[in-house]
Amino acid sequence: MKSAEEIAKMSAPELRRELQKLETGSVAIGKGPRVPQPPPSIPTISPPPVGAQIEAIQKYIHSLQYNFIGKEYFKPDKRMPLQRVMYIAKNIIKDSLPIKCLEATMLAIYLTRDIEGLTRLPLRFGTTVQGHVYWHIVLAVCYKAKWGALGLSRRHDLASKPLEFASLASLANDYKKSYESIGHRILKITAGLPVGTSTSSTEKVYYHFLIIPVSKAKWSDVEALLNKFTKSMVKLARQLRDTGKYTKLENTVCCKCLELQHPGLLYKPPSSEGTGEDSQDAKAPSAAAGEGKKAAGASPNPSAHGDVQTPTASATSPTAQPTKGSRPPRRAHLAV
């Protein structure tokens, strides 16, 4: 390339010729030869750790806030197939209105669908305090043998749990301690089957496949059963999907949830085998299996987190069944 002094001495035709050379690239710019630059490489973007993703999802769920006003915006129903659950979750994201524990569980199912290697199943707790029965549901998650939970509650320690527990039993035990700290006594724990990831699947979501009447069993037996269940839950889900049948676990009997019309396993404590009381337990979970049933005149407890029902004869009778041809009533969340 010519220097400034040489360019100053050039005539107009010479300047035009030099400009044409520059435009065509026949003249190297700079002191050295022109070296072609390689095209930029596509960066490799690795996803954040699963623990960080779980924390981000839980932070988003908390940002929606708990629905204290009693009005349902999204009408969740546990009888919905997975496709409808995903649709409800999309509407929750779109509208960003306050939600309760069941909507938070559906939202967590949608937001965790793309995390590879993550096992997800609903986990429910039925507790009692001052004569009232409360139900709460979260989404238990497992990654590389570490358990945690996603959800929403009036109380922070009953909402989510970090991904640090060694087993589902340890996770349930931590919830048990949180309940005991506010004076609640656990009546039942139910665990669902692993949830699928497809947004267009019509498969059934099992919210309470394993039903454990904690009030009739030793806690050590409850932990042992939960550990056995986690080892068999994938196999059980596959059996139900492929054949409609499933294998019983030790000290369990097959039952059917009348509300959701799906099969399940009911735990029978060994000490009560052969009694008439246990023969009725298979029907009991259906009467208390819905988030949000409230008897008329029930006074809400401000320390509670979920939906409440009073122990009336119609709500607690182990033989309560819907009349022939009638559809189970829709549940209404507790108005606080």
Side-chain angles (χ1 to χ4, degrees):
M1 185 174 178
K2 298 183 180 297
S3 62
E5 292 80 5
E6 292 175 330
I7 294 176
K9 297 178 181 179
M10 294 173 63
S11 62
E14 291 175 337
L15 287 172
R16 282 194 293 270
R17 286 194 296 270
E18 288 296 326
L19 182 60
Q20 290 177 355
K21 292 180 181 180
L22 290 172
E23 291 175 349
T24 58
S26 59
V27 177
I29 300 176
K31 296 182 178 179
R34 187 175 182 179
V35 179
Q37 296 295 324
S41 59
I42 300 175
T44 302
I45 303 175
S46 58
V50 172
Q53 295 183 57
I54 295 297
E55 291 179 4
I57 291 172
Q58 183 58 49
K59 184 178 180 181
Y60 172 73
I61 293 175
H62 273 303
S63 68
L64 296 177
Q65 300 183 354
Y66 192 87
N67 182 4
F68 288 97
I69 65 175
K71 178 182 177 181
E72 287 184 351
Y73 295 108
F74 303 103
K75 309 292 183 188
D77 192 331
K78 296 192 296 298
R79 292 169 291 187
M80 291 177 175
L82 183 58
Q83 182 184 28
R84 291 291 300 174
V85 170
M86 298 294 191
Y87 177 76
I88 289 287
K90 293 177 183 178
N91 285 339
I92 293 173
I93 296 173
K94 177 183 176 182
D95 297 336
S96 297
L97 294 171
I99 57 177
K100 288 190 176 181
C101 57
L102 182 55
E103 295 104 307
T105 300
M106 292 180 172
L107 179 59
I109 289 174
Y110 175 75
L111 294 176
T112 56
R113 71 194 186 283
D114 292 330
I115 302 180
E116 295 184 3
L118 187 71
T119 302
R120 310 158 305 146
L121 64 147
L123 183 65
R124 298 173 68 246
F125 299 90
T127 64
T128 181
V129 64
Q130 297 181 1
H132 300 296
V133 177
Y134 295 83
W135 283 95
H136 180 48
I137 184 170
V138 297
L139 183 69
V141 294
C142 178
Y143 182 75
K144 293 185 177 179
K146 292 296 182 181
W147 287 84
L150 294 166
L152 193 62
S153 170
R154 290 186 175 98
R155 299 186 61 88
H156 182 76
D157 55 348
L158 294 177
S160 63
K161 299 292 182 180
L163 200 65
E164 60 183 24
F165 296 91
S167 64
L168 180 61
S170 299
L171 176 65
N173 186 56
D174 194 78
Y175 275 106
K176 177 175 176 287
K177 294 177 181 177
S178 299
Y179 275 115
E180 291 174 346
S181 67
I182 57 174
H184 281 239
R185 180 171 61 89
I186 296 182
L187 298 177
K188 280 189 177 69
I189 293 178
T190 71
L193 291 175
V195 183
T197 58
S198 174
T199 58
S200 58
S201 173
T202 58
E203 67 181 82
K204 185 184 295 292
V205 180
Y206 292 87
Y207 289 95
H208 35 89
F209 180 80
L210 177 66
I211 304 163
I212 309 175
V214 178
S215 59
K216 300 179 182 180
K218 298 179 181 179
W219 184 251
S220 58
D221 294 337
V222 173
E223 291 181 316
L225 180 59
L226 287 174
N227 289 331
K228 291 179 182 177
F229 175 70
T230 55
K231 296 177 181 179
S232 306
M233 59 185 182
V234 176
K235 177 183 176 182
L236 291 170
R238 188 184 305 113
Q239 289 176 341
L240 275 173
R241 183 180 65 250
D242 296 342
T243 65
K245 301 178 181 180
Y246 53 96
T247 305
K248 293 191 298 183
L249 300 179
E250 185 179 1
N251 296 325
T252 63
V253 294
C254 296
C255 65
K256 187 172 184 179
C257 174
L258 298 179
E259 178 197 3
L260 303 185
Q261 294 297 311
H262 71 61
L265 292 175
L266 175 67
Y267 174 64
K268 293 182 64 176
S271 59
S272 60
E273 288 183 356
T275 64
E277 178 182 357
D278 289 303
S279 64
Q280 298 175 344
D281 283 341
K283 302 176 183 179
S286 63
E291 275 74 11
K293 183 175 181 181
K294 178 191 175 186
S299 58
N301 188 323
S303 67
H305 59 282
D307 306 306
V308 60
Q309 59 186 40
T310 53
T312 59
S314 61
T316 59
S317 173
T319 58
Q321 297 185 15
T323 58
K324 184 176 180 181
S326 66
R327 183 179 180 183
R330 293 187 63 86
R331 307 295 184 180
H333 284 287
L334 168 66
V336 180

